[in-house]
Amino acid sequence: MSTTKIGSLLVRTLAKPVATSIKTQAKSHPKFKAFCINVAQRSHHLEMTLKMQFLGYKKEKIRPLNDARAIESGANFLSEAFVFSVAVSVILAESWRSRVTAKNRRNYVDDALENLENQNQTLTELLEETRQQNISNEEKLKQIEKDNLQLRNMLDEVLSVSMGLKRHTEYQQQPTMVSLPGISD
């Protein structure tokens, strides 16, 4: 940013010698001299007309400037117009650069926000999937604990009978088949 301001100051500084060159060229070139006289006469006519209207003077015929004064006035007008146009172009260029920078910054922020929203959506879906897996795992764990308890009871009974701590009783009815997890018929 400071480089741009230094550059604009340099351009304005370089415009002043060009304006001085315009003044000197107005005195030496006949076509440019005629153009400066024409510009000065029109400028003088407009200035005097506006003065008469705004200051309330009576309208009278406006006398043209003499050639030497017209050349000087026209050259001054053109050189000042050149310096002014350079200053305006520098201001417009800085304004345009600032707008482009702000637009790029807004686009970057919008893109970053969109990326964050996409990440948030992905993480929300992943969290829901993890919750479903957790519920499924809890159900499997409960089933495994239930099967483990049943196997422990069966093992206790088998050990008690084999060690003689408990007497084996005859089954009055057909024994039920217990399915063991992970073993198929």
Side-chain angles (χ1 to χ4, degrees):
M1 177 132 167
S2 62
T3 308
T4 306
K5 290 184 180 183
I6 290 173
S8 68
L9 181 63
L10 178 68
V11 168
R12 280 188 270 162
T13 303
L14 293 176
K16 290 179 184 178
V18 172
T20 306
S21 172
I22 289 173
K23 288 180 185 179
T24 57
Q25 294 294 325
K27 294 175 184 173
S28 61
H29 292 293
K31 288 185 180 180
F32 194 56
K33 186 188 291 187
F35 180 72
C36 286
I37 290 172
N38 188 20
V39 168
Q41 294 297 351
R42 288 180 187 230
S43 171
H44 174 68
H45 189 270
L46 179 65
E47 179 185 356
M48 294 308 289
T49 304
L50 290 175
K51 275 184 183 179
M52 283 190 266
Q53 286 179 354
F54 288 125
L55 297 177
Y57 295 134
K58 63 180 182 168
K59 289 187 179 182
E60 55 186 59
K61 186 175 184 212
I62 300 171
R63 285 181 280 152
L65 297 171
N66 64 23
D67 283 351
R69 197 167 172 200
I71 292 171
E72 184 70 30
S73 178
N76 281 339
F77 180 81
L78 290 176
S79 66
E80 291 298 321
F82 177 75
V83 170
F84 180 75
S85 65
V86 167
V88 166
S89 64
V90 166
I91 290 170
L92 290 176
E94 177 64 25
S95 174
W96 176 80
R97 188 198 64 77
S98 176
R99 266 197 322 266
V100 167
T101 302
K103 182 180 178 183
N104 288 342
R105 188 175 297 130
R106 277 193 307 271
N107 288 343
Y108 174 75
V109 168
D110 288 345
D111 290 345
L113 185 60
E114 185 177 333
N115 287 339
L116 288 174
E117 287 173 351
N118 290 339
Q119 286 178 351
N120 186 24
Q121 180 67 27
T122 303
L123 289 175
T124 302
E125 291 170 359
L126 184 61
L127 180 64
E128 185 59 33
E129 184 180 317
T130 304
R131 283 183 185 153
Q132 293 299 329
Q133 286 178 349
N134 190 22
I135 290 171
S136 173
N137 288 341
E138 285 178 1
E139 290 173 358
K140 288 178 183 176
L141 182 61
K142 286 179 184 176
Q143 182 63 38
I144 289 172
E145 286 174 350
K146 182 179 171 187
D147 291 344
N148 190 18
L149 183 63
Q150 188 177 10
L151 285 173
R152 183 176 287 150
N153 289 339
M154 286 172 50
L155 184 60
D156 284 345
E157 186 173 330
V158 168
L159 285 175
S160 296
V161 169
S162 66
M163 292 175 69
L165 299 175
K166 188 175 178 187
R167 215 179 117 118
H168 182 59
T169 58
E170 295 288 329
Y171 292 108
Q172 307 246 337
Q173 53 182 326
Q174 186 70 14
T176 57
M177 295 296 288
V178 177
S179 64
L180 298 175
I183 300 176
S184 61
D185 292 334

